[in-house]
Amino acid sequence: MVHLGVFAMPLHPKERAYGEMMADNREQVLLADRLGMTEVWIGEHQTSISEPITDPFLFLATTMYEAKNVKFGSAVVNLSYHHPVKLAMQLAMFDQLSGGRAMVGIGPGGLISDSEIFGIDREQSYAMMVECVDIMELLWSRDAPLEYDGKFWQISLSDFVEDDIGVGRLPKPLQNPGPPIAYAMRSPKSGASELLAQRDWIPISGNFVPAGFVKNQWTDYCDQREKLGKRPDPENWRAGRSILVTDTNDRAADYVAQEEGGFRHYFHYLRTLEAKRNMMDATRQEREAFVAGQVNEALEDQVIAGDADTVLDKLIAYRDEVGPFGTLLMTGHDWDDKDMWRGSMRMLAEDVVPRLSQHAESTDPSY
């Protein structure tokens, strides 16, 4: 069976009013729930108004009582920017309030301007991420006395404890031992594959990487699971794609080709960041040429658009190529045409994915 969810950075044109962006993102979450989607993942950044969610769980908390069934995930919360005690307690409370629907997508922090404003050494951020998880899992499972002497954080709670009145007892998530942890992979062979396999974290293959990368990520993850004597778990694997379902193929093609359209804006933003990060010594003209080429490649390889039958055929071909992911994560794009995007979500949820799931049930290998 293939489930359907939403993975939203979210990403918007910088000119849009902040409050309107928030309203659109809320509506997308609520619509996903009404359509029976299983999960919504929301990203986090601090220093880009184009990615305006600074706290995914605060944002998701505004939807949890209207969206009664969908699960809520961060995609991702950048752990090197958070004190693990504060974050662990925040997540425990969110999990309780949401009825055990929290999922914690984690990352070390990918936007360099975020690292800069927090003063984080990027060479240390991955190790900080792992240590932050270790501390949160300790706090979710134990009460005082607590001692943790880490490389980045030292945690101690032993002196001022009064168990009779609850002092020294820490709030715990509803889910035991805690909310599931997920990691979003970008490179073709993620260095985190071993950690994912070892700790039973959820693997997420990003929506903005080539299909060949996604295939290699699944293969590497399976290899790591097998080395540990663990069964690969495709039902736990999430894979993302930018998807647009319209009434005709021509309408979808016209939107993808728009110079100012949402897909082109999305990939132009991402590839501009990539060029700034990796081409520091290049001229502006060289960066712009790189970005233009990369955007065109992304529109060819990483966008699935057309009418319902065409999108179904493309998704079947994509899944046959990359592997048997258990959840398809549609990218949450800017609603520059609200009626079109609402209709796309409905057709994807009500028509396309049920047929994709039927195909998967009849063709998936046994694991």
Side-chain angles (χ1 to χ4, degrees), residues 19-130:
E20 290 178 3
M21 290 188 279
M22 296 297 99
D24 280 359
N25 293 324
R26 280 193 82 255
E27 184 181 345
Q28 188 175 73
V29 174
L30 299 178
L31 180 57
D33 183 66
R34 290 197 299 272
L35 291 171
M37 298 188 189
T38 56
E39 55 199 50
V40 174
W41 302 81
I42 298 291
E44 171 199 66
H45 283 300
Q46 313 296 329
T47 58
S48 174
I49 196 59
S50 295
E51 297 184 77
I53 302 290
T54 58
D55 185 329
F57 291 103
L58 176 60
F59 167 77
L60 289 166
T62 71
T63 72
M64 68 169 65
Y65 295 123
E66 292 178 72
K68 298 183 182 300
N69 298 298
V70 71
K71 294 181 179 179
F72 302 109
S74 53
V76 297
V77 60
N78 300 298
L79 297 187
S80 60
Y81 312 147
H82 294 272
H83 194 287
V85 175
K86 174 64 175 177
L87 185 60
M89 299 303 96
Q90 177 186 353
L91 293 172
M93 185 175 73
F94 182 91
D95 197 49
Q96 289 283 349
L97 289 171
S98 66
R101 290 187 284 159
M103 301 182 294
V104 187
I106 63 169
L111 186 60
I112 293 178
S113 56
D114 283 353
S115 301
E116 181 181 355
I117 203 167
F118 283 110
I120 299 298
D121 180 354
R122 291 181 59 81
E123 292 185 0
Q124 301 284 348
S125 60
Y126 184 86
M128 293 179 73
M129 177 192 76
V130 175

Side-chain angles (χ1 to χ4, degrees), residues 1-301:
M1 184 173 184
V2 178
H3 299 286
L4 177 63
V6 177
F7 184 105
M9 300 173 69
L11 202 160
H12 303 277
K14 66 181 187 301
E15 296 82 10
R16 291 203 59 194
Y18 197 179
E20 290 178 3
M21 290 188 279
M22 296 297 99
D24 280 359
N25 293 324
R26 280 193 82 255
E27 184 181 345
Q28 188 175 73
V29 174
L30 299 178
L31 180 57
D33 183 66
R34 290 197 299 272
L35 291 171
M37 298 188 189
T38 56
E39 55 199 50
V40 174
W41 302 81
I42 298 291
E44 171 199 66
H45 283 300
Q46 313 296 329
T47 58
S48 174
I49 196 59
S50 295
E51 297 184 77
I53 302 290
T54 58
D55 185 329
F57 291 103
L58 176 60
F59 167 77
L60 289 166
T62 71
T63 72
M64 68 169 65
Y65 295 123
E66 292 178 72
K68 298 183 182 300
N69 298 298
V70 71
K71 294 181 179 179
F72 302 109
S74 53
V76 297
V77 60
N78 300 298
L79 297 187
S80 60
Y81 312 147
H82 294 272
H83 194 287
V85 175
K86 174 64 175 177
L87 185 60
M89 299 303 96
Q90 177 186 353
L91 293 172
M93 185 175 73
F94 182 91
D95 197 49
Q96 289 283 349
L97 289 171
S98 66
R101 290 187 284 159
M103 301 182 294
V104 187
I106 63 169
L111 186 60
I112 293 178
S113 56
D114 283 353
S115 301
E116 181 181 355
I117 203 167
F118 283 110
I120 299 298
D121 180 354
R122 291 181 59 81
E123 292 185 0
Q124 301 284 348
S125 60
Y126 184 86
M128 293 179 73
M129 177 192 76
V130 175
E131 185 171 304
C132 185
V133 173
D134 290 341
I135 294 171
M136 290 196 299
E137 291 180 338
L138 171 68
L139 299 178
W140 291 336
S141 63
R142 294 261 309 275
D143 291 311
L146 290 167
E147 295 289 341
Y148 185 96
D149 186 17
K151 181 177 180 181
F152 306 103
W153 292 283
Q154 289 72 47
I155 307 299
S156 177
L157 180 58
S158 58
D159 294 338
F160 197 89
V161 174
E162 189 58 60
D163 188 68
D164 288 346
I165 59 171
V167 176
R169 295 194 183 186
L170 282 63
K172 301 294 188 287
L174 184 60
Q175 297 177 86
N176 186 18
I181 304 292
Y183 186 88
M185 299 177 288
R186 297 183 63 177
S187 62
K189 187 173 182 180
S190 174
S193 290
E194 183 177 358
L195 198 59
L196 280 160
Q198 182 182 44
R199 300 181 68 156
D200 299 323
W201 291 353
I202 297 170
I204 300 178
S205 293
N207 54 290
F208 44 78
V209 298
F213 283 24
V214 177
K215 179 179 180 179
N216 289 339
Q217 288 168 356
W218 174 243
T219 300
D220 188 40
Y221 173 75
C222 288
D223 289 344
Q224 296 296 336
R225 293 286 291 185
E226 289 167 0
K227 287 179 183 177
L228 295 166
K230 296 184 175 183
R231 183 184 70 87
D233 45 357
E235 67 275 7
N236 212 28
W237 178 29
R238 276 74 167 169
R241 246 8 182 205
S242 292
I243 303 169
L244 174 64
V245 190
T246 57
D247 52 351
T248 68
N249 288 327
D250 287 343
R251 185 183 182 193
D254 288 345
Y255 181 80
V256 173
Q258 285 180 15
E259 287 297 322
E260 300 300 324
F263 283 141
R264 189 170 291 276
H265 169 266
Y266 180 84
F267 288 106
H268 181 269
Y269 175 90
L270 293 176
R271 299 310 185 240
T272 298
L273 291 178
E274 183 180 342
K276 184 172 181 62
R277 183 171 58 245
N278 298 329
M279 302 173 65
M280 298 295 291
D281 296 329
T283 65
R284 183 180 184 86
Q285 291 76 14
E286 288 171 335
R287 289 185 191 173
E288 289 176 350
F290 167 83
V291 169
Q294 290 291 304
V295 169
N296 290 331
E297 288 183 17
L299 293 174
E300 279 288 320
D301 177 73

